[in-house]
């Protein structure tokens, strides 16, 4: 039966594929297709892993101290039985043979199927057996991870059915695992349009819907699924007519994309001759190549915190950060790179034990808590370490440093103190560094209202509309329950953006917008009308915005926008 689900549209386009359901805890399992002739060898790999784990458990059982509780031995018996269970291992072998999934994926996929069956059970005892199953699978996956050669992770073939990912939630850090994966689209049950998970999806340029409640309960492993990223609709088991219609739309979108692609190296100049700067937002240094290929004139926002995520507790030291920043700078071939100092906190918490963010992670209101510059100032040596790495990278190209969420005089003073101390430390250590312009991110309404005061202390400004909207309208950007209230057109939001741009122009300081509004063509004209001449967005959004710019007359757009500002 076909099922239609509604969520929040976060990344355009249509994806059609078979569902891969993944629990967030197993998100880092490799997914790739094997060649049909490798199926026997792959099944053997699975069975070898099961036998080896069974052997490990046997040793464990044999070495149990004599006074160990009897239940422990019985539990190990159950686990060993599961390792040869037809419903788990036999069916997983079937996924390998019939669908050509790699062994880890097949096992994780079958686990998902069984876990669901357990969840539906009335009997508490049986329901709890689910954790035995999960533990056994975890052991097998971990054995395979240890015994895998590095080449295994990426060997794979194409030409099989396309796949879409369905999960209850995916953290922004986990989504990075999928940046170069085989998934053609994804659906989550939670999240808002400008949650960081959605932002990373947009950077991957794959259709995505978030906040589709019950998606992972209503779709089953391997079901055909359509993701309509434009409308925010997910169709599970579509009828052949619906499937045909969406295949048609997919082809149309491909044609449109190819057409826009031709604008890649056309300068972004308005009809009245205003040259507009289009910059790229990136998450990782490797993204810089894509920015350049898309025709970006530089990086307007490098979200450096992604270097700090997915690291199981360890954080990048100064040298590692320096290498990362330098590689982005070199990749941009002389174009400027704006590195934002870490924006840790809220929906991007660290996994470092005992850190401030851990303690605050489950606090009452993480978005209003110790986040971004507040976090950096609470960790002064980490902050200086990052600043030193950024200054050193500036010896290799044009680098700008951007401070997120700054709003208070005291923060301004402490930030500059940290920069001066970092410079002094580099002088002392005899390390070379380059000049860096320092900019303020305008993301807090207080900062936008007092933009003149704030901007006089900085070299440039960048407006983070994602947070500015969140804080102005008191709407958690990651919460799908209030995503319908997240309104960039709200007069208060537009006023704050306009005020910031006006102040920057008055003070003769460069100003850019780097929030999602910059990459959404429906806002191009109003931002141009406010006097904005620099936009920073994911490379995939650049051509569509450029098209709007090429058709715009910036002078005429300067007319009062009373109609918009007074919209009821
Ligand atoms: C913003 O808030 O608009 C922004 C660009 O930063 P981030 O989305 O990373 O919070
Ligand atoms: Mg922000």
């Amino acid at each position: 039966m076909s099922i239609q689900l509604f969520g929040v549209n976060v990344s355009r386009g249509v994806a059609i594929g078979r569902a891969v359901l993944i629990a967030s805890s197993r998100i880092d399992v490799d997914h790739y297709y094997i060649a049909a002739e490798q199926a026997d060898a792959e099944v053997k790999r699975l069975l070898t892993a099961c036998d080896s784990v069974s052997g490990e458990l046997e040793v464990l059982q044999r070495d149990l101290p004599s006074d160990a509780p009897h239940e422990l031995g019985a539990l190990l018996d159950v686990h060993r039985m599961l390792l040869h269970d037809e419903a788990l291992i036999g069916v997983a072998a079937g996924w390998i043979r019939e669908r050509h999934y790699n062994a880890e994926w097949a096992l994780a996929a079958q686990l998902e199927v069984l876990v669901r069956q357990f969840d539906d059970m009335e009997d508490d005892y049986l329901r709890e057996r689910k954790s035995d199953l999960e533990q056994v699978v975890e052991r097998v996956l971990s054995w395979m991870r240890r015994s895998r050669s590095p080449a295994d992770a990426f060997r794979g073939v194409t030409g099989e059915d396309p796949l879409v990912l369905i999960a209850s939630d995916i953290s922004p850090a986990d989504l990075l695992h999928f940046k170069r994966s085989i998934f053609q689209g994804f659906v989550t049950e939670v999240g808002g349009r400008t949650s960081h998970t959605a932002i990373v999806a947009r950077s991957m340029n794959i259709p995505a819907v978030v906040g589709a409640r019950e998606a992972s309960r209503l779709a089953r492993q391997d079901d055909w699924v359509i993701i309509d990223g434009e409308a925010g609709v997910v169709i599970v088991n579509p009828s052949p007519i619906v499937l045909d219609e969406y295949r048609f739309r997919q082809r149309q979108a491909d044609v449109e994309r190819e057409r826009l692609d031709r604008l890649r190296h056309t300068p972004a100049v308005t009809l009245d001759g205003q040259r507009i700067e289009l910059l790229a937002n990136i998450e990782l240094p490797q993204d810089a190549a894509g920015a350049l290929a898309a025709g970006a004139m530089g990086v307007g926002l490098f979200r450096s915190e992604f270097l700090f995520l997915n690291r199981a507790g360890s954080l990048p030291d100064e040298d590692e950060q320096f290498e990362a920043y330098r590689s982005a700078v070199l990749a941009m071939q002389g174009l400027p790179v704006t590195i934002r100092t870490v924006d840790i906190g809220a929906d991007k918490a660290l996994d470092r034990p005992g850190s401030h963010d851990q303690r605050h992670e489950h606090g009452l209101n993480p978005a209003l808590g110790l986040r971004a510059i507040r976090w950096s100032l609470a960790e002064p040596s980490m902050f200086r370490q990052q600043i030193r790495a950024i200054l050193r990278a500036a010896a290799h190209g044009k680098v700008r440093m951007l401070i997120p969420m700054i709003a208070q005089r005291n923060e301004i003073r402490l930030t500059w103190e940290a920069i001066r101390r970092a410079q002094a430390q580099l002088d002392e250590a005899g390390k070379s560094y380059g000049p860096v312009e320092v900019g303020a991110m305008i993301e807090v309404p207080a900062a936008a209202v007092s933009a003149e005061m704030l901007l006089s202390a900085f070299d440039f400004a960048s407006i983070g509309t994602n947070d500015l909207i969140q804080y102005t309208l008191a709407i958690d950007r990651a919460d799908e329950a209030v995503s319908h209230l997240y309104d960039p057109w709200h007069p208060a939001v537009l006023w704050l953006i306009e005020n910031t741009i006006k102040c920057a122009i008055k003070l003769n300081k460069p100003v850019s917008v780097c929030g999602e509004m910059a990459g959404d063509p429906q806002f191009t004209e109003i931002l141009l009308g406010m006097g904005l001449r620099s936009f920073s967005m994911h490379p995939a959004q650049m051509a569509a915005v450029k098209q709007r710019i090429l058709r715009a007359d910036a002078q005429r757009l300067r007319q009062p926008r009373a109609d918009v500002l007074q919209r009821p």
Side-chain angles (χ1 to χ4, degrees), residues 196 303 340 343 371 404-405 441 443 464 466-467 477:
H196 283 93
R303 290 182 162 98
R340 171 172 76 185
D343 184 359
R371 204 200 132 174
M405 257 187 99
M441 255 186 112
E443 313 193 82
N466 306 336
D467 279 314
R477 58 193 269 197

Side-chain angles (χ1 to χ4, degrees), residues 527-564:
L527 291 172
L528 285 172
M530 289 177 182
L532 190 75
R533 297 293 177 262
S534 174
F535 296 64
S536 192
M537 67 202 74
H538 280 300
Q541 299 162 320
M542 226 164 253
V545 170
K546 194 184 281 183
Q547 188 179 44
R548 287 287 180 123
I549 291 171
L550 296 173
R551 293 174 182 171
D553 182 335
Q555 208 48 46
R556 279 193 47 210
L557 289 169
R558 288 200 85 90
Q559 305 307 323
R561 286 161 314 284
D563 52 333
V564 176

Side-chain angles (χ1 to χ4, degrees), residues 13-14 18 43 81 132 152 315 387 449 520 532:
V14 170
R18 285 189 184 273
V43 170
M81 265 160 50
D132 292 327
D152 284 342
L315 296 181
I387 297 171
V449 172
D520 186 338
L532 190 75

